[in-house]
């Protein structure tokens, strides 16, 4: 639902606000489109690359890289270095907890037919990143490395599970290995020569190739932005990325708030 414009607002402002609101609902609303899924994936992939890079520069761990974290745990177990298991183990557990939290919030909202079933997770992720950016320098000074890893891993789990839900498991913003694999598959299909006329031809998906290639570039670009930002100002470098996510998810959440208020007023009559 949309709010009614004030009669005192300039008409051009009303039009711009309506356009922004419509775009926000297309990105994170319950009614999905391929364009909305694609644009949301681009935003989240860029932010994921930035947060991942900040985590590595700060605490030497890629909190989105669960393959690497699992391999690190295995290596340390084999070497008998039990204390070194704690950082990667924390990243794995936190990532799983974040993904589980997304599933709980999404299904709770879905059963109540809420417009913000996707957006709420994004808003919570944005608020967590915002608080992290404001407070992490203090945590770093007292040596709370494991807590920093836990927060970043949890955020990555939230985000990856969210885009998985939004896209019907077709897109994962932090799983670059899978994206690069699919890029190779599509290139292989494009290069394949269909010589036999009596068998179904092999077709590549050009749109998918463009989507995945763009996402890998955005993840890398976000990584550069995050690493440079951290080298300049430390953890507050994540704050702009948090604000981008917050703006992306606000409209459907506002719609749910307005709907709840109207229902409360109707019951009070």
């Amino acid at each position: 639902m949309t709010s009614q414009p004030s009669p005192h607002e300039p008409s051009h402002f009303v039009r711009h606000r309506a356009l922004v609101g419509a775009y926000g609902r297309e990105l994170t609303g319950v009614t999905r489109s391929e364009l909305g899924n694609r644009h949301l994936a681009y935003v989240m992939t860029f932010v994921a690359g930035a947060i991942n890079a900040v985590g590595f520069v700060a605490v030497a761990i890629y909190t989105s890289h669960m393959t690497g974290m699992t391999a690190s745990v295995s290596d340390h177990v084999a070497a008998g270095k039990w204390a070194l298991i704690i950082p990667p183990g924390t990243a794995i557990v936190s990532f799983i907890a974040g993904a589980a939290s997304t599933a709980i919030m999404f299904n709770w909202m879905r059963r109540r037919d809420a417009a913000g079933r996707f957006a709420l997770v994004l808003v919570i992720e944005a608020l967590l990143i915002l608080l992290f950016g404001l407070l992490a320098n203090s945590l770093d000074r007292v040596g709370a490395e494991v807590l920093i890893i836990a927060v970043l891993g949890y955020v990555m789990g939230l985000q990856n599970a969210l885009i998985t839900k939004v896209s019907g498991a077709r897109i994962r913003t932090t799983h670059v290995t899978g994206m690069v694999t699919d890029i190779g598959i599509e290139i292989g299909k494009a290069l394949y020569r269909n010589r036999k006329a009596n068998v179904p031809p092999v077709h590549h998906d050009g749109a998918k190739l463009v989507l995945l290639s763009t996402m890998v570039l955005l993840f890398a670009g976000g990584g550069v932005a995050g690493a440079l930002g951290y080298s300049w100002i430390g953890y507050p470098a994540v704050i702009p990325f948090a604000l981008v996510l917050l703006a992306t998810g606000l409209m459907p959440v506002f719609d749910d708030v307005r709907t709840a208020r109207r229902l409360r007023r109707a019951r009070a009559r």
Side-chain angles (χ1 to χ4, degrees):
M1 292 186 169
T2 58
S3 59
Q4 295 298 317
S6 167
H8 304 293
E9 290 179 325
S11 59
H12 69 275
F13 179 81
V14 173
R15 287 196 300 271
H16 291 164
R17 191 181 69 171
L19 287 173
V20 170
Y23 185 63
R25 293 181 185 93
E26 184 170 15
L27 284 180
T28 55
V30 67
T31 303
R32 307 303 308 157
S33 69
E34 283 301 318
L35 180 66
N37 287 346
R38 189 163 62 248
H39 285 190
L40 180 61
Y42 291 159
V43 171
M44 294 179 69
T45 301
F46 185 80
V47 172
I51 302 302
N52 193 52
V54 168
F56 181 76
V57 176
V59 292
I61 275 187
Y62 285 123
T63 48
S64 71
H65 186 33
M66 292 299 102
T67 303
M69 295 301 97
T70 304
S72 293
V73 170
S74 300
D75 292 343
H76 297 323
V77 168
K81 299 178 180 178
W82 301 102
L84 296 180
I85 296 171
I86 295 174
T90 299
I92 294 169
V93 172
S94 301
F95 192 99
I96 293 172
S101 298
T102 292
I104 291 169
M105 287 185 281
F106 171 80
N107 286 302
W108 188 88
M109 297 282 282
R110 180 177 59 83
R111 286 174 174 268
R112 286 153 181 81
D113 199 29
R117 66 186 69 168
F118 300 117
L120 179 64
V121 178
L122 199 63
V123 168
I124 290 173
E125 178 190 351
L127 293 175
L128 284 173
I129 295 173
L130 184 61
L131 288 173
F132 176 80
L134 295 171
L135 302 176
N137 277 332
S138 299
L139 296 174
D140 204 23
R141 282 194 289 271
V142 299
E145 176 184 306
V146 172
L147 181 57
I148 291 170
I149 293 170
V151 172
L152 293 178
Y154 183 82
V155 164
M156 287 295 179
L158 276 176
Q159 177 173 137
N160 208 37
L162 173 62
I163 197 64
T164 301
K165 286 285 189 184
V166 166
S167 68
R170 295 191 302 274
I171 301 171
R172 287 181 170 84
T173 55
T174 67
H175 186 44
V176 178
T177 302
M179 287 189 273
V180 173
T181 301
D182 288 343
I183 288 171
I185 290 172
E186 293 303 327
I187 290 174
K189 288 180 179 179
L191 295 175
Y192 186 81
R193 300 291 298 274
N194 292 291
R195 298 179 184 278
K196 292 186 177 182
N198 58 341
V199 294
V202 175
H203 296 293
H204 80 284
D205 189 338
K208 182 178 181 181
L209 182 58
V210 171
L211 170 67
L212 294 172
S213 300
T214 303
M215 289 176 65
V216 170
L217 290 174
L218 285 170
F219 190 92
V224 172
L228 289 176
Y230 181 82
S231 68
W232 292 334
I233 60 174
Y235 291 109
V238 304
I239 292 175
F241 303 107
L243 295 177
V244 168
L245 291 181
L246 191 61
T248 302
L250 277 180
M251 289 310 303
V253 174
F254 281 158
D255 290 342
D256 283 335
V257 171
R258 284 193 290 263
T259 300
R261 285 176 177 173
R262 280 193 292 270
L263 289 174
R264 281 199 298 270
R265 285 197 295 265
R267 292 193 194 103
R269 290 172 185 170

